Amino acid sequence: MEGDAVHRCAARLDALSSATVVRSDFRTPSLATADLAGRALVDTRAHGKHLLTRLSGGWTLHSHLRMSGSWTVVRKRRADGGPALPRGVRAALDLDAGAALVGVDVPVLELLRTRDEHRVVGHLGPDVLAGAPTATQEHFDHDDALARLRRDPARPVVEALLDQRGVSGLGNLWAVEVCFLRGLWPWTPVGDVDLEPLLALARRMIRHSLEHGTGMTTTGVRRRGENHWVTGRSNRPCRRCGTLVRFRPAVGSGAPYAREVWWCPSCQPAPAG
Ligand SMILES: [Zn+2]
């Protein structure tokens, strides 16, 4: 999941602020005994791909959606518990506002003191969506981001962009697509890359996606098959030059930033030799 989708989710949850939890139901072992009844939702903010839902009394519900998790707002359940919750539900919060907040397949879910939020987001680099209404950070610290990205200069640029300790909020789609748009071979050592325009482009595009709700398009076209420059287009002609797009599957489950990569060998040539 990309940062813009997470911030969109944060906005959905934040719209429920000031509602009070009437009943909470957690189906995750570590929270089996947690009871949030009587607590008001204060706000929901995002940092990178992490969601922080603050509750009255100084508590924060921290969640991370990874690839498939979601929070949805549904009509409040009846007192008898119906309608039945969908499969995969990890959390259901009935609110006095006539709605219920349901977390499905949310792999990371924990309750912590709001003052301890740094424990779960303190390692993250500046949020590419800093300054968005749902962001915990008002300003994007450019110098900090650049220094973090350059920390390991030999590292492939596509991997550096995905490491949330450099900048947070970029996922595979944006990392792969900005490399294409900047004409960068994805395995160029990050130390050899002119990072400022790359970062500026990534931030501009993901911000645009958030503000215009355009979701998973990087080309501006929403139609499936035309919504990306190279992602998901292996062996199909590059939309810019016609060369067949190449694909490298994710390698090594132990390498967290080795994801699937698509690139055009003509628009993004590897260095000679
Ligand atoms: Zn091309």
Side-chain angles (χ1 to χ4, degrees):
M1 189 156 304
E2 309 279 339
D4 52 326
V6 176
H7 278 260
R8 257 196 301 282
C9 181
R12 236 173 13 246
L13 269 57
D14 195 49
L16 298 169
S17 297
S18 81
T20 298
V21 178
V22 177
R23 177 172 57 163
S24 67
D25 184 359
F26 290 102
R27 301 183 183 175
T28 188
S30 60
L31 292 179
T33 59
D35 182 5
L36 299 181
R39 297 199 183 276
L41 298 180
V42 176
D43 62 21
T44 295
R45 292 289 174 265
H47 187 142
K49 304 188 199 179
H50 294 253
L51 284 165
L52 303 165
T53 300
R54 281 85 172 249
L55 299 133
S56 59
W59 288 94
T60 293
L61 185 62
H62 165 232
S63 55
H64 193 299
L65 306 176
R66 294 218 204 284
M67 305 300 269
S68 59
S70 66
W71 280 107
T72 48
V73 182
V74 300
R75 210 158 39 82
K76 192 172 177 174
R77 292 182 296 155
R78 298 189 304 268
D80 64 6
L85 291 170
R87 286 161 66 92
V89 167
R90 295 284 171 270
L93 306 180
D94 283 349
L95 306 172
D96 63 349
L101 194 52
V102 177
V104 178
D105 292 329
V106 180
V108 176
L109 197 57
E110 63 177 323
L111 206 52
L112 68 161
R113 303 299 301 193
T114 300
R115 62 167 182 266
D116 294 331
E117 284 179 358
H118 61 92
R119 281 205 296 109
V120 292
V121 295
H123 64 293
L124 299 173
D127 188 343
V128 286
L129 284 163
T134 45
T136 58
Q137 298 172 334
E138 237 172 273
H139 301 288
F140 183 78
D141 189 337
H142 225 89
D143 294 340
D144 185 31
L146 291 174
R148 285 166 171 265
L149 284 167
R150 290 184 180 127
R151 198 167 282 170
D152 180 359
R155 191 171 198 197
V157 60
V158 74
E159 289 183 19
L161 289 173
L162 287 171
D163 186 341
Q164 304 294 302
R165 294 169 299 182
V167 291
S168 59
L170 290 179
N172 211 25
L173 173 65
W174 291 108
V176 163
E177 298 280 294
V178 294
C179 284
F180 171 81
L181 288 166
R182 292 291 302 161
L184 276 172
W185 187 58
W187 296 276
T188 308
V190 70
D192 296 346
V193 173
D194 187 4
L195 279 174
E196 292 209 41
L198 177 72
L199 199 51
L201 176 66
R203 290 187 59 224
R204 200 163 60 238
M205 289 183 74
I206 197 166
R207 182 75 184 237
H208 183 274
S209 175
L210 174 67
E211 288 173 355
H212 299 271
T214 46
M216 301 293 275
T217 173
T218 55
T219 56
V221 181
R222 293 200 200 201
R223 234 185 332 270
R224 224 184 147 78
E226 296 176 35
N227 53 345
H228 303 148
W229 291 103
V230 286
T231 303
R233 305 192 71 250
S234 49
N235 282 321
R236 293 173 62 193
C238 169
R239 299 163 58 84
R240 200 170 259 174
C241 76
T243 306
L244 295 185
V245 170
R246 295 189 61 187
F247 169 68
R248 192 205 69 176
V251 285
S253 54
Y257 306 106
R259 304 274 176 80
E260 298 170 312
V261 180
W262 293 264
W263 77 104
C264 169
S266 300
C267 293
Q268 302 165 269

